[in-house]
Coordinates of all heavy atoms in Angstrom, one line a residue:
V32 N 16.1 12.6 6.7 CA 15.0 12.1 7.5 C 15.3 10.8 8.1 O 15.8 9.9 7.4 CB 13.7 12.0 6.6 CG1 12.5 11.5 7.4 CG2 13.4 13.4 6.0
Y33 N 15.1 10.7 9.4 CA 15.3 9.4 10.1 C 14.0 8.9 10.6 O 13.3 9.6 11.4 CB 16.2 9.7 11.3 CG 17.6 10.2 10.9 CD1 17.8 11.5 10.6 CD2 18.7 9.3 10.7 CE1 19.1 12.0 10.1 CE2 19.9 9.7 10.2 CZ 20.1 11.0 10.0 OH 21.3 11.5 9.5
K34 N 13.6 7.7 10.2 CA 12.3 7.1 10.5 C 12.5 6.1 11.7 O 11.5 5.7 12.2 CB 11.7 6.4 9.3 CG 11.3 7.4 8.2 CD 10.9 6.5 7.0 CE 10.8 7.3 5.7 NZ 9.7 8.3 5.7
N35 N 13.7 5.7 11.9 CA 14.0 4.8 13.0 C 15.4 5.1 13.6 O 16.0 6.1 13.1 CB 13.9 3.3 12.6 CG 14.8 3.0 11.4 OD1 16.0 3.4 11.4 ND2 14.3 2.4 10.3
G36 N 15.8 4.3 14.5 CA 17.1 4.7 15.2 C 18.3 4.4 14.4 O 19.4 4.9 14.7
D37 N 18.2 3.7 13.3 CA 19.4 3.4 12.4 C 19.9 4.7 11.9 O 19.1 5.5 11.4 CB 19.0 2.5 11.2 CG 18.4 1.2 11.6 OD1 18.5 0.8 12.8 OD2 17.9 0.5 10.8
G38 N 21.2 4.9 12.0 CA 21.7 6.1 11.4 C 21.9 7.3 12.4 O 22.6 8.2 12.1
I39 N 21.3 7.2 13.6 CA 21.4 8.3 14.6 C 22.9 8.4 15.1 O 23.4 9.4 15.2 CB 20.4 8.1 15.7 CG1 19.0 8.3 15.2 CG2 20.7 9.1 16.8 CD1 18.6 9.6 14.7
Y40 N 23.4 7.2 15.4 CA 24.8 7.2 15.9 C 25.7 7.8 14.8 O 26.5 8.7 15.2 CB 25.3 5.7 16.1 CG 26.8 5.5 16.4 CD1 27.3 5.4 17.7 CD2 27.7 5.4 15.3 CE1 28.6 5.3 17.9 CE2 29.0 5.2 15.5 CZ 29.5 5.2 16.8 OH 30.8 5.0 17.0
D41 N 25.6 7.4 13.6 CA 26.4 8.0 12.5 C 26.2 9.5 12.3 O 27.1 10.3 12.0 CB 26.2 7.3 11.2 CG 26.8 5.9 11.2 OD1 27.7 5.7 12.0 OD2 26.4 5.0 10.4
A42 N 24.9 9.9 12.4 CA 24.6 11.3 12.3 C 25.3 12.2 13.3 O 25.8 13.3 12.9 CB 23.1 11.5 12.4
I43 N 25.4 11.7 14.5 CA 26.1 12.4 15.5 C 27.7 12.3 15.3 O 28.4 13.3 15.3 CB 25.7 11.9 16.9 CG1 24.2 12.2 17.2 CG2 26.6 12.6 18.0 CD1 23.7 11.6 18.5
K44 N 28.1 11.1 15.1 CA 29.6 10.9 14.9 C 30.1 11.7 13.7 O 31.2 12.3 13.8 CB 29.9 9.4 14.8 CG 31.4 9.2 14.8 CD 31.7 7.7 15.1 CE 33.2 7.5 15.2 NZ 33.8 8.2 16.3
D45 N 29.4 11.6 12.6 CA 29.9 12.3 11.3 C 29.6 13.8 11.3 O 29.9 14.4 10.3 CB 29.3 11.6 10.1 CG 29.7 10.2 10.0 OD1 30.7 9.8 10.6 OD2 29.1 9.4 9.2
M46 N 28.9 14.2 12.3 CA 28.5 15.6 12.5 C 27.5 16.2 11.4 O 27.7 17.3 11.0 CB 29.8 16.5 12.5 CG 30.6 16.2 13.7 SD 32.3 16.9 13.8 CE 31.9 18.6 14.0
V47 N 26.6 15.3 11.0 CA 25.4 15.8 10.3 C 24.8 16.8 11.2 O 24.4 17.9 10.9 CB 24.4 14.7 10.0 CG1 23.1 15.2 9.5 CG2 25.0 13.7 9.1
V48 N 24.6 16.4 12.5 CA 24.2 17.3 13.6 C 25.3 17.4 14.6 O 26.1 16.5 14.8 CB 22.9 16.7 14.3 CG1 23.2 15.4 14.9 CG2 22.3 17.7 15.3
R49 N 25.5 18.7 15.1 CA 26.6 18.9 16.0 C 26.2 20.0 16.9 O 25.2 20.7 16.7 CB 28.0 19.0 15.3 CG 28.0 19.6 13.9 CD 27.6 21.1 13.9 NE 28.3 21.8 14.9 CZ 27.9 23.0 15.4 NH1 26.8 23.5 15.0 NH2 28.7 23.6 16.3
G50 N 27.1 20.3 17.9 CA 26.7 21.3 18.9 C 26.1 20.6 20.0 O 25.1 19.8 19.8
A51 N 26.6 20.8 21.3 CA 26.2 20.0 22.4 C 24.6 19.9 22.6 O 24.1 18.8 22.7 CB 26.9 20.5 23.7
P52 N 23.9 21.0 22.6 CA 22.5 20.8 22.9 C 21.7 20.1 21.8 O 20.9 19.2 22.0 CB 21.9 22.3 23.0 CG 23.2 23.1 23.4 CD 24.3 22.4 22.7
A53 N 22.1 20.4 20.5 CA 21.4 19.7 19.4 C 21.8 18.2 19.4 O 20.9 17.4 19.1 CB 21.9 20.3 18.1
I54 N 23.0 17.8 19.8 CA 23.3 16.4 19.9 C 22.4 15.8 21.0 O 21.9 14.6 20.8 CB 24.8 16.3 20.3 CG1 25.7 16.7 19.2 CG2 25.1 14.8 20.8 CD1 27.2 16.7 19.5
G55 N 22.2 16.5 22.1 CA 21.4 15.9 23.2 C 19.9 15.7 22.7 O 19.4 14.6 22.9
V56 N 19.4 16.7 22.0 CA 18.0 16.6 21.6 C 17.9 15.4 20.5 O 16.9 14.6 20.6 CB 17.5 17.9 21.0 CG1 16.1 17.7 20.4 CG2 17.5 19.0 22.0
T57 N 18.9 15.4 19.7 CA 18.9 14.3 18.6 C 18.9 12.9 19.3 O 18.2 12.0 18.9 CB 20.1 14.5 17.7 OG1 20.0 15.7 17.1 CG2 20.2 13.4 16.6
A58 N 19.8 12.8 20.3 CA 19.9 11.5 21.0 C 18.6 11.1 21.7 O 18.2 9.9 21.7 CB 21.0 11.6 22.1
A59 N 17.9 12.1 22.2 CA 16.6 11.8 22.9 C 15.6 11.3 21.9 O 14.9 10.2 22.1 CB 16.0 13.1 23.6
Y60 N 15.4 12.0 20.8 CA 14.5 11.5 19.7 C 15.1 10.1 19.2 O 14.3 9.2 18.9 CB 14.4 12.5 18.6 CG 13.4 13.6 18.9 CD1 13.9 14.9 18.8 CD2 12.1 13.4 19.2 CE1 13.0 16.0 19.0 CE2 11.3 14.4 19.5 CZ 11.7 15.8 19.4 OH 10.9 16.8 19.6

Side-chain angles (χ1 to χ4, degrees):
V32 179
Y33 297 84
K34 296 172 191 292
N35 54 48
D37 299 349
I39 295 292
Y40 170 96
D41 286 339
I43 297 174
K44 189 166 183 63
D45 295 346
M46 295 171 70
V47 170
V48 63
R49 29 68 49 202
I54 290 172
V56 177
T57 300
Y60 282 124

